[in-house]
Amino acid sequence: MKNISILGATGSIGTQALEVVEAHADLYRVCALTAHSNAKLLISQAQKFKPDLVVIGDDQYYAEVKAALPGIKVLTGQQALCEAAALPQAELVLTALVGAAGLQPTISAIEAGKDIALANKETLVVAGDIVTQLAEQHGVKIIPVDSEHSAIYQCLVGEEVNPVEKIYLTASGGPFRGKDREALAGVTKAAALKHPNWTMGAKITIDSASLMNKGLEVIEARWLFGLDPDQIDVIVHPQSIVHSLVQFTDGSIKAQMGLPDMKLPIHYALAYPGRITSSYERFNFMDYPEFTFSKPDMHTFRNLQLAYHALRKGGNMPCIINAANEVVVNAFLNDQIGFLQMSDVIERCMEDIPFIEKPSLDNYLETDSYTRIFAGDLVTKQAFLTQNIKY
Ligand code: NDP
Ligand code: MG
């Protein structure tokens, strides 16, 4: 029986993870559940799974959650999230909360010696050097849940002594694949929220449409697998069946495939190093007579280019790009800015926010807060760089 803390239990990954736990109640027990503001769902999850600890991030819902769960410890606030992450009985912590809010709880979990099933890619984007170093120091495994990284992790099993030449992260291309900048200028949030292959939370769905998701994943891969930026390639594969590939120094390539269902990588991360039986629909080759692969259009989807630039520059630049992106995605979802202006604001933040070459954790946290204020101000003033595109 493995005890699992699920941070972000009410989200797309969190609810799918609970489906996996429910289907394998003989293998897994949930010891902590957290959410930000969806009190109703959190309460019903807690009534069903009976964890030892429940955390509601937003304190205005605390009284409601507390009253509904007699006999269960209920806490609120950022520090409580860290407590859920470091709960003594937890063996594995699934970080399924969204954004840089995942950084400190993930650090708490690592410092408490918990293995991490990492969905929250933003944690590695913001402070990948510190997080991976801490994991090494504490002998903690970071098992990716992101489907591309899970694919690579699976391809690397048994290859510990063999150096990787390069990896290919596959991208569906999102709902706007093939469109030019003129067409993108007027796209609506409703169109951006319709992903062709995956159903996910709003933030990652917009990131997928803008290719920022792939940019964040390139940075995530750099830290998970210890690669140089030049060893990480992105390839558009609209069928989303080949989840990613690893090329070894002899030229051989291994790929991991499966239907696009996040429960598969969740399964893998929970069961690692084993595999558990599932009854999910199996892939049928006859349904896919053709797989296609092409280069991403980084001229139209500038975010991917910006993310590569941030990764090459290093320091606090990926942290800047992540915080600016969280602000602009929110602004786009609130109809404050257009689709293309998201990249303009991000680029402006990358140019204007002070660069720190070797940031401490405090530097990262300060950069994150400062970038949110700076980017928020650009959105309010509608001050976008539309000329002078450098990347
Ligand atoms: P959702 O938006 O669906 O869920 C986010 C979860 O985090 C919810 O439980 C939410 O609570 C909670 N949350 C939101 N903001 C905060 C905060 N400030 N502090 C604490 N908790 C918070 O996101 P997804 O499940 O789609 O994504 C989660 C993570 O997994 C992201 O990092 C994403 O990039 C990654 N990922 C997701 C995939 C997917 O298929 N969805 C695929 C690969 C990676 P509440 O419901 O109360 O708001
Ligand atoms: Mg992914």
Side-chain angles (χ1 to χ4, degrees):
M1 191 63 109
K2 202 182 263 183
N3 273 305
I4 306 174
S5 284
I6 302 184
L7 311 184
T10 49
S12 158
I13 294 289
T15 51
Q16 293 181 81
L18 285 172
E19 282 179 48
V20 172
V21 168
E22 191 177 6
H24 298 280
D26 52 329
L27 298 176
Y28 306 120
R29 179 180 173 267
V30 169
C31 53
L33 290 174
T34 84
H36 184 57
S37 57
N38 191 345
K40 301 252 170 319
L41 182 54
L42 182 64
I43 289 167
S44 73
Q45 291 177 337
Q47 285 167 340
K48 185 166 182 182
F49 290 93
K50 307 203 177 340
D52 308 316
L53 174 64
V54 165
V55 175
I56 181 86
D58 187 339
D59 60 10
Q60 63 173 306
Y61 301 100
Y62 172 73
E64 179 186 348
V65 177
K66 173 90 186 135
L69 300 174
I72 296 179
K73 185 172 175 187
V74 178
L75 297 173
T76 184
Q78 172 75 22
Q79 192 44 44
L81 268 183
C82 295
E83 199 171 309
L87 204 65
Q89 59 270 43
E91 287 150 82
L92 183 73
V93 176
L94 171 63
T95 63
L97 65 184
V98 64
L103 175 60
Q104 284 179 308
T106 307
I107 289 179
S108 296
I110 294 172
E111 286 177 339
K114 316 294 180 191
D115 285 337
I116 308 290
L118 183 113
N120 178 247
K121 65 191 84 182
E122 293 91 344
T123 281
L124 286 185
V125 175
V126 172
D129 54 344
I130 289 180
V131 171
T132 50
Q133 257 173 36
L134 267 180
E136 212 177 301
Q137 267 170 29
H138 291 270
V140 153
K141 286 192 276 296
I142 301 181
I143 308 154
V145 169
D146 213 349
S147 57
E148 297 78 358
H149 306 72
S150 173
I152 292 178
Y153 203 79
Q154 294 182 51
C155 290
L156 290 175
V157 170
E159 304 284 359
E160 291 73 15
V161 295
N162 297 320
V164 168
E165 191 165 81
K166 77 190 298 181
I167 63 171
Y168 294 92
L169 297 180
T170 52
S172 70
F176 304 140
R177 182 174 54 89
K179 290 207 186 309
D180 60 17
R181 291 181 64 78
E182 208 175 19
L184 286 187
V187 295
T188 61
K189 72 178 176 198
L193 283 168
K194 269 199 201 107
H195 195 280
N197 302 342
W198 302 95
T199 309
M200 311 177 281
K203 193 248 176 191
I204 184 175
T205 306
I206 300 300
D207 285 349
S208 299
S210 71
L211 286 206
M212 180 53 93
N213 182 50
K214 214 44 60 178
L216 301 180
E217 290 184 354
V218 168
I219 301 172
E220 179 187 12
R222 182 264 173 269
W223 293 112
L224 280 172
F225 306 114
L227 301 170
D228 290 334
D230 294 339
Q231 290 176 289
I232 308 169
D233 233 330
V234 171
I235 190 117
V236 176
H237 167 51
Q239 296 79 22
S240 294
I241 298 295
V242 178
H243 295 308
S244 279
L245 313 92
V246 179
Q247 180 175 307
F248 295 93
T249 48
D250 59 357
S252 180
I253 294 180
K254 275 167 96 173
Q256 188 267 342
M257 294 171 40
L259 288 171
D261 179 349
M262 282 309 295
K263 285 205 284 298
L264 295 176
I266 292 171
H267 247 246
Y268 187 78
L270 297 196
Y272 181 85
R275 285 185 189 270
I276 46 177
T277 304
S278 90
S279 53
Y280 304 139
E281 187 188 348
R282 277 8 183 194
F283 173 73
N284 181 350
F285 279 90
M286 298 314 122
D287 293 339
Y288 292 85
E290 209 172 50
F291 282 174
T292 57
F293 300 95
S294 59
K295 267 172 97 104
D297 174 359
M298 296 212 227
H299 169 71
T300 304
F301 297 91
R302 294 203 305 125
N303 280 349
L304 183 54
Q305 187 100 319
L306 293 172
Y308 265 110
H309 173 72
L311 177 57
R312 290 202 167 93
K313 181 87 181 164
N316 62 343
M317 200 56 99
C319 175
I320 294 173
I321 208 174
N322 180 71
N325 183 56
E326 288 192 31
V327 171
V328 294
V329 168
N330 246 332
F332 177 70
L333 288 171
N334 291 326
D335 301 313
Q336 289 170 288
I337 61 173
F339 191 79
L340 291 178
Q341 289 164 339
M342 291 196 284
S343 311
D344 298 334
V345 173
I346 294 168
E347 183 172 23
R348 182 80 192 271
C349 291
M350 292 169 75
E351 279 180 1
D352 288 1
I353 290 173
F355 178 66
I356 304 172
E357 194 160 355
K358 285 231 169 298
S360 63
L361 180 58
D362 282 344
N363 291 148
Y364 282 128
L365 297 174
E366 284 153 17
T367 299
D368 180 76
S369 319
Y370 180 67
T371 305
R372 282 167 203 272
I373 295 166
F374 191 89
D377 207 39
L378 291 178
V379 169
T380 311
K381 292 186 181 139
Q382 298 279 302
F384 312 122
L385 257 193
T386 43
Q387 308 296 316
N388 190 24
I389 291 171
K390 279 214 300 223
Y391 308 111

